Amino acid sequence: MSDALVRALDADGWQMHAHAIGDRAVRTALNAYEAVARTWRRSRRHTITHLRLVHPDAYRRFARAGVVASMQLQWAQPSSFTNDALKPYIGPERYARLYPARSLAKAGALLADGSDWPVDPLAPFTQIATAIDRSHPDEDQPPLNAREGLTRAQSLVMHTAGAAHQLHDGNSGTGCPGKRADLIVLDRDITKVPVKEIRATKVQYTLISGRVVHDAESQTGRARAEVARRIGAQGARRTSGGSCCQGH
């Protein structure tokens, strides 16, 4: 990912989306983006996704260069992969900085989130909850770097307004006059229930531009929910620690 390549693509109107898991890859992507930061149109929303490991010196560079930090925080939980396979290779100091969501937010980075489906399960409420508690609900282990957990509000904004910003969708992502009424009605108040219960949230209604397009209680809605469940589970069988970058 050379500076010259990013300059050429930026000048031609392309928006960059780089995948970076390690701190050196993040630094390389930031170097290239900063090379055009003074000349690119701010309508561009160049992005780095994954961000498993970011050096602290790079946190503030995201905000300075206007780079979107896209993270898949369903991975930010203790597992045999992170505890047993990864830690011996990166050491305890870097291990303690995995998925630095709160540090990036504190440094002014704009956070967005994506599922990385079909590599991972399509489970947005698991993502929202894990971004907060950094825990695996079925394993009795301490959270993964709990100090990097986001607040409930930060997690919700990351998954709504943050994602809409990354995708240049200025008419969605928040509910306010003048925007499309793209809304979901849930079976619980995820701003108040215990964080671990967020993972079991179900969508009762989906509205697009104010029109109901999904009703969970209807026959069609139940059929669609089953299809969505199967689609979402396709990524569940991946090897822990896999990546959408594999094979590219």
Side-chain angles (χ1 to χ4, degrees):
M1 187 172 179
S2 68
D3 298 359
L5 174 62
V6 172
R7 283 195 187 98
L9 292 172
D10 179 81
D12 202 34
W14 288 86
Q15 178 168 295
M16 304 294 100
H17 185 87
H19 293 226
I21 291 176
D23 47 10
R24 181 177 178 180
V26 173
R27 183 165 58 250
T28 299
L30 284 170
N31 289 345
Y33 289 156
E34 286 176 342
V36 297
R38 295 182 180 180
T39 58
W40 80 28
R41 300 173 183 175
R42 280 293 168 169
S43 61
R44 308 262 204 282
R45 288 160 194 181
H46 298 322
T47 301
I48 304 176
T49 194
H50 299 325
L51 303 172
R52 177 180 289 170
L53 183 62
V54 182
H55 193 279
D57 290 348
Y59 295 159
R60 294 189 180 279
R61 296 175 66 186
F62 281 81
R64 287 200 300 262
V67 175
V68 177
S70 173
M71 308 182 80
Q72 292 74 46
L73 293 177
Q74 72 270 27
W75 293 349
Q77 57 176 268
S79 70
S80 59
F81 175 77
T82 56
N83 291 340
D84 302 332
L86 182 62
K87 192 173 183 178
Y89 288 92
I90 66 174
E93 190 275 330
R94 285 188 292 179
Y95 181 84
R97 294 191 278 105
L98 289 178
Y99 298 107
R102 178 171 286 193
S103 292
L104 285 166
K106 186 177 179 180
L110 191 147
L111 302 184
D113 197 288
S115 68
D116 205 34
W117 182 86
V119 177
D120 287 291
L122 190 61
F125 296 107
T126 294
Q127 294 171 217
I128 291 169
T130 308
I132 302 166
D133 66 16
R134 314 271 295 197
S135 297
H136 192 299
D138 301 323
E139 295 189 15
D140 185 20
Q141 297 187 54
L144 178 68
N145 305 336
R147 66 180 180 277
E148 289 293 347
L150 298 174
T151 67
R152 206 176 295 225
Q154 285 175 319
S155 181
L156 291 172
V157 169
M158 177 184 188
H159 287 82
T160 53
H165 172 84
Q166 180 188 351
L167 297 175
H168 289 261
D169 191 349
N171 291 317
S172 188
T174 58
C176 60
K179 291 195 175 184
R180 291 196 316 270
D182 292 350
L183 307 169
I184 53 175
V185 179
L186 308 179
D187 66 349
R188 67 200 68 194
D189 185 347
I190 61 176
T191 68
K192 295 180 179 178
V193 299
V195 173
K196 65 180 181 180
E197 295 183 12
I198 293 176
R199 292 174 173 86
T201 300
K202 305 296 183 185
V203 177
Q204 299 297 98
Y205 298 96
T206 302
L207 290 79
I208 301 295
S209 297
R211 184 173 67 87
V212 176
V213 297
H214 167 70
D215 177 352
E217 298 304 317
S218 69
Q219 182 176 353
T220 301
R222 289 192 292 270
R224 286 175 175 169
E226 175 58 22
V227 171
R229 185 194 65 78
R230 293 199 301 267
I231 291 174
Q234 285 180 8
R237 293 182 294 275
R238 77 173 179 90
T239 301
S240 182
S243 167
C244 62
C245 305
Q246 288 179 347
H248 287 194

